[in-house]
Amino acid sequence: MPDAPVVIETDRLILRPHDLSDFEDVHALWSDPEVVCHIYDRPQTAAEAWSRLLRYRGHWALLGYGYWAVVERATGRFMGELGFANYLREIEPDMDGRPEAGWVMARHAHGRGVAYEAMQAALGWCDAHLDARGTWAMITPSNHSSLRLAQKLGFARTLDAQFNGKPRHIYERARS
């Protein structure tokens, strides 16, 4: 298990641990109605963004994996965040503690291949460093961009579930 969040670099991006200076970007991301429309019923508050930032670092400290802030190499601009978590979701069937993959990109990163490039790198790290049978993702049926991305990344739709009273598709990806 890694002792601390790791940094991953791709041609265009840096995936790095979140820090306190990311709070404004995290809050802007999660309070953008266009970004969160497929995830939540409403934009998130500053307090919710703060809890999210703390949760990201807590995953790394306790589980050895978590979320990264995704920044553009050339400019340092915050592009979004992605990674792996264990939220103890109450869904059936249980995902046996396997890391749940997730990604959310700022509006200015949409349609640029940023999520694909960053998730490819994150999944490569996961396969090399985590002792997990694979990963899974929970995606709202109306989130066509994320559904396409999951398939492009090698996730396969395995079941439909209800989460918080709403339909979700469950996608799974075996370890490469």
Side-chain angles (χ1 to χ4, degrees):
M1 177 166 65
D3 293 330
V6 297
V7 174
I8 300 172
E9 296 189 21
T10 71
D11 289 342
R12 297 184 298 161
L13 306 169
I14 299 173
L15 285 63
R16 60 161 177 76
H18 287 83
D19 60 38
L20 289 176
S21 68
D22 292 317
F23 174 71
E24 292 301 322
D25 288 321
V26 170
H27 181 228
L29 178 72
W30 289 96
S31 64
D32 183 336
E34 187 176 310
V35 170
V36 302
C37 67
H38 297 291
I39 305 169
Y40 293 110
D41 291 335
R42 61 173 175 73
Q44 302 291 276
T45 66
E48 289 165 324
W50 178 249
S51 292
R52 181 175 297 283
L53 187 65
L54 296 174
R55 189 169 55 228
Y56 292 155
R57 291 303 292 251
H59 266 87
W60 282 103
L62 297 174
L63 300 176
Y65 61 85
Y67 268 59
W68 289 273
V70 179
V71 296
E72 194 171 43
R73 281 178 76 132
T75 65
R77 186 177 190 190
F78 183 86
M79 304 299 277
E81 48 198 28
L82 51 72
F84 308 99
N86 184 347
Y87 295 125
L88 297 178
R89 300 214 193 261
E90 294 178 7
I91 62 169
E92 292 294 330
D94 180 56
M95 292 293 129
D96 301 322
R98 286 181 290 149
E100 178 182 350
W103 51 85
V104 61
M105 294 294 120
R107 198 182 309 188
H108 60 266
H110 291 181
R112 297 179 51 198
V114 171
Y116 178 72
E117 181 178 332
M119 273 309 296
Q120 271 194 308
L123 286 164
W125 177 88
C126 180
D127 289 346
H129 294 92
L130 297 184
D131 186 25
R133 291 189 338 265
T135 56
W136 67 283
M138 182 171 59
I139 304 172
T140 304
S142 62
N143 192 344
H144 301 292
S145 295
S146 279
L147 295 172
R148 281 190 305 275
L149 177 61
Q151 291 170 341
K152 191 175 179 182
L153 290 166
F155 286 84
R157 182 174 163 189
T158 56
L159 64 111
D160 293 333
Q162 291 283 316
F163 181 71
N164 289 340
K166 298 196 172 167
R168 301 288 194 255
H169 294 320
I170 304 300
Y171 280 75
E172 296 183 68
R173 178 186 169 275
R175 185 177 181 174
S176 295

